[in-house]
Amino acid sequence: MTDKTMLRALKGEVLPTPPVWLMRQAGRYLPEYRATRAQAGDFLSLCYTPDLAAEVTLQPIRRYGFDAAILFADILLLPQALGLDLWFETGEGPRMSTVTSMEGVKALKGKDDIHDKLAPVYETCKILSRELPKETTFIGFAGMPWTVATYMIAGRGSKDQAAAHKFKDTDRAAFSALIDAVTDATIEYLSKQVEAGCEVVKLFDSWAGSLKGQDFEDFAVAPAKRITAELKARFPGLPVIAFPREAGEGYIGFAKKTGADCVAIDNSVSPEWAAANVQKDGCVQGNLDPSYMVTGGQALVEATQKVVAAFKNGPHIFNLGHGITPEADPENVTLLMETIRKG
Ligand code: 1CP
């Protein structure tokens, strides 16, 4: 049996204190992150410079002793490797060239032609698998096809994913071909991360909540199932965490339907609801509201205790319901860790 608490929870063990890490734990709320990002020059250079990407991955582990580290990269590197242009507008967010037709899908690179561009990411994985503390679990990740496709279709982030819904509803064949192309490439990308030392993979479907009914089954559940099955065939025993964010009722049965070992839960549902409806099938991760990391105080302590208590009878990995924000106070993360670890 491993002494890595996160791997134990993923195997279904109920631990006296849940393992903990935070989405976006390497990020702008940390002064040391801002310094390394300045050294890199810009965000994409940081992602593609293995020594610096490894350094920012390690920073929150050194500061807080989280039980897991997540590879520093971004879900949008994969579409870039598939041939799209990607850049970040200062203060606004990602921008990329778009795919809006079958011709556009056909013009993408093949699933086996992505690795030259992504080689620095695999190098970051190799550095981290050597340098992480022995008790720290190393998580690789990718965006899920629907979420990645929303950026490829709109060329940017959007609140309602309207452009992607329009493409899906007007040219289902081309849209499905795009989802298949991203699914195939994601399997190859994650396989290389695992070969380079990642011990767990997390599938981020940040915009799954806008898929309803059969669309949720076809474009959130089915790709997660295919990616999970193929990775587990290649790497028997590899734990997979799925995060169909804001899926609501869609969280129910998601692990069984996809084969994922753990379902990450956002904070739009209560931990009590998630314990009763999702944790009954296995490990869950979540789901403190990230805003407590900004506001702190006794409210943070009580909300944290409430999450820990709600999930204490089953396998649980403590996390936020979404990424920690740049406005978070690093001291509040210290308070969070003290609250969880003193039990
Ligand atoms: O200015 C900066 O330093 C860039 C901010 C930033 C960071 C720190 C971006 C831009 N990406 C990242 C790293 C990142 N992104 C990680 C690794 C680090 C960690 O978790 O500690 C991961 C796992 C992601 C995943 C990611 N990127 C998602 C899925 C998770 C989620 O937050 O929902 C998404 C949707 C993205 C796209 C993206 N990248 C960056 C931004 C600002 C965005 C969101 C754009 C939008 O709102 O649509």
Side-chain angles (χ1 to χ4, degrees):
M1 212 10 152
T2 173
D3 57 0
K4 298 194 185 201
T5 52
M6 167 109 169
L7 293 179
R8 288 167 57 186
L10 286 166
K11 294 269 174 267
E13 203 176 322
V14 183
L15 298 159
T17 300
V20 49
W21 69 282
L22 305 183
M23 284 185 269
R24 294 274 171 101
Q25 63 192 17
R28 281 171 292 178
Y29 74 108
L30 289 179
E32 58 269 38
Y33 171 87
R34 295 196 297 268
T36 308
R37 189 178 181 282
Q39 193 187 337
D42 60 77
F43 174 68
L44 285 175
S45 302
L46 180 55
C47 292
Y48 288 123
T49 308
D51 286 339
L52 298 183
E55 167 59 22
V56 294
T57 307
L58 287 162
Q59 285 167 350
I61 308 303
R62 288 190 204 114
R63 193 191 259 258
Y64 300 115
F66 291 123
D67 295 289
I70 184 160
L71 168 67
F72 191 85
D74 195 84
I75 65 164
L76 303 179
L77 303 187
L78 182 67
Q80 189 181 31
L82 284 168
L84 299 189
D85 295 328
L86 172 67
W87 68 101
F88 280 79
E89 293 284 347
T90 313
E92 287 192 42
R95 296 288 184 273
M96 63 167 60
S97 51
T98 59
V99 177
T100 52
S101 64
M102 190 63 100
E103 289 68 44
V105 178
K106 289 191 174 140
L108 293 172
K109 290 194 182 162
K111 66 183 169 67
D112 297 316
D113 298 327
I114 58 175
H115 301 308
D116 281 353
K117 181 71 189 170
L118 295 167
V121 177
Y122 311 144
E123 183 56 32
T124 305
C125 296
K126 286 184 192 154
I127 297 171
L128 285 164
S129 66
R130 285 197 304 269
E131 295 196 358
L132 279 165
K134 67 170 186 2
E135 65 278 10
T136 313
T137 298
F138 182 25
I139 308 168
F141 74 93
M144 285 297 288
W146 160 250
T147 289
V148 171
T150 66
Y151 293 92
M152 297 172 81
I153 295 162
R156 57 189 298 165
S158 63
K159 280 230 170 308
D160 54 6
Q161 299 83 54
H165 283 288
K166 186 173 167 215
F167 188 29
K168 163 173 66 64
D169 296 338
T170 53
D171 191 347
R172 199 136 181 124
F175 177 81
S176 296
L178 176 58
I179 293 290
D180 288 345
V182 177
T183 302
D184 290 340
T186 301
I187 290 166
E188 303 310 323
Y189 180 39
L190 289 171
S191 292
K192 291 279 187 203
Q193 292 181 26
V194 175
E195 285 165 12
C198 293
E199 302 167 286
V200 172
V201 298
K202 179 163 178 188
L203 311 175
F204 283 93
D205 214 350
S206 302
W207 304 120
S210 76
L211 289 171
K212 304 295 176 200
Q214 193 59 39
D215 282 347
F216 184 80
E217 300 300 319
D218 292 347
F219 302 122
V221 174
K225 183 177 176 184
R226 190 144 82 77
I227 292 167
T228 302
E230 184 59 31
L231 288 173
K232 283 177 178 282
R234 294 184 189 186
F235 308 100
L238 176 75
V240 174
I241 304 172
F243 184 33
R245 190 169 74 90
E246 293 193 355
E249 300 280 315
Y251 282 127
I252 301 172
F254 198 83
K256 276 191 179 155
K257 282 198 261 185
T258 60
D261 301 85
C262 175
V263 180
I265 310 278
D266 74 90
N267 51 282
S268 70
V269 297
S270 76
E272 293 79 11
W273 179 89
N277 292 288
V278 191
Q279 195 189 32
K280 68 175 175 49
D281 295 333
C283 188
V284 292
Q285 177 178 282
N287 72 339
L288 183 71
D289 185 334
S291 68
Y292 286 109
M293 308 319 297
V294 181
T295 54
Q298 188 57 25
L300 159 60
V301 171
E302 284 169 18
T304 301
Q305 288 169 338
K306 186 170 170 301
V307 171
V308 172
F311 291 121
K312 76 174 188 324
N313 294 323
H316 176 220
I317 298 161
F318 192 98
N319 207 309
L320 305 177
H322 200 194
I324 187 167
T325 56
E327 301 75 33
D329 181 345
E331 290 297 318
N332 290 336
V333 180
T334 305
L335 179 59
L336 172 85
M337 294 303 280
E338 284 169 6
T339 305
I340 295 169
R341 293 213 167 138
K342 85 174 175 235

